[in-house]
Amino acid sequence: MAERESAFTAQEFIDKLQRNDMTAPLVITGMVKLPDTPSTGLMFAPGTRCAQWILIPTNVIERVEVLQVVPCGDHTHPLVNLTIKTPESPEGAMLSSLLSAVGKPGVATPAMPSTNPTPTRARLVTRTSGVGLFKAGCAAACNQYEVDEAGNIYELYSCKDYGAGIAICYYN
């Protein structure tokens, strides 16, 4: 199956619009890890919550885009966008369309840009070791993006370094 494209030249984009041939890939955002037992898949957890892991077979994944490495207790996981291949069965196509349309948990639904300067999310970051941890600014301790359990993406707005390895990251 040919890989779906989502980036076009201006003329290619206009041609697709004129033919009413515009489709968007199904992209889910969450953390990934390897399965505990040998498998041909990745374990996936929607958002940035280290729970509800499901096995996604590699043969249904079209593309993996690494967004960030996110902390999870005493370890980390890659936060990724998984582009899912277009299903071939009618049932698979219906489920893919349904997920894309209703924005179920795990489906990447970017938050609308906010004109409100007040952040909508905050995360406390603490580090007990590492001299000069925030030397490059406390933003170095913050993820560029946060993804909630519903798949909404929030961009880093600002951060506040309180010293002693403590910072608060604010997101819109």
Side-chain angles (χ1 to χ4, degrees), residues 127-152:
R127 300 285 193 264
T128 56
S129 64
V131 177
L133 176 70
F134 303 133
K135 191 175 194 177
C138 70
C142 302
N143 296 324
Q144 182 65 34
Y145 297 95
E146 285 281 309
V147 181
D148 66 15
E149 290 77 19
N152 296 308

Side-chain angles (χ1 to χ4, degrees), residues 34-43 55:
L34 293 174
D36 293 334
T37 59
S39 174
T40 57
L42 290 173
M43 298 303 293
L55 180 67

Side-chain angles (χ1 to χ4, degrees), residues 6 27 35 55 59 64 83 116 118 141 151 156 160 172:
S6 58
V27 179
L55 180 67
N59 66 342
V64 179
T83 303
N116 180 1
T118 305
L156 181 64
K160 171 94 171 127
N172 266 338

Side-chain angles (χ1 to χ4, degrees), residues 17-143:
L17 285 175
Q18 288 173 337
R19 290 190 314 266
N20 197 23
D21 184 25
M22 191 60 59
T23 59
L26 175 60
V27 179
I28 56 177
T29 303
M31 298 186 305
V32 293
K33 67 178 183 177
L34 293 174
D36 293 334
T37 59
S39 174
T40 57
L42 290 173
M43 298 303 293
F44 176 84
T48 57
R49 192 162 169 221
C50 195
Q52 301 177 352
W53 292 95
I54 60 169
L55 180 67
I56 299 189
T58 54
N59 66 342
V60 303
I61 300 170
E62 186 172 291
R63 178 178 155 87
V64 179
E65 177 189 5
V66 178
L67 301 174
Q68 184 82 24
V69 175
V70 294
C72 182
D74 63 348
H75 58 284
T76 61
H77 295 288
L79 177 67
V80 300
N81 280 337
L82 292 182
T83 303
I84 305 300
K85 290 181 181 176
T86 302
E88 295 181 14
S89 73
E91 298 86 356
M94 184 273 307
L95 287 173
S96 178
S97 296
L98 183 61
L99 283 174
S100 294
V102 298
K104 289 288 186 192
V107 176
T109 309
M112 295 301 291
S114 174
T115 57
N116 180 1
T118 305
T120 56
R121 294 177 60 85
R123 184 171 55 88
L124 174 67
V125 178
T126 60
R127 300 285 193 264
T128 56
S129 64
V131 177
L133 176 70
F134 303 133
K135 191 175 194 177
C138 70
C142 302
N143 296 324

Side-chain angles (χ1 to χ4, degrees), residues 151-162:
N152 296 308
I153 300 171
Y154 300 88
E155 189 169 7
L156 181 64
Y157 173 76
S158 66
C159 64
K160 171 94 171 127
D161 182 357
Y162 288 92

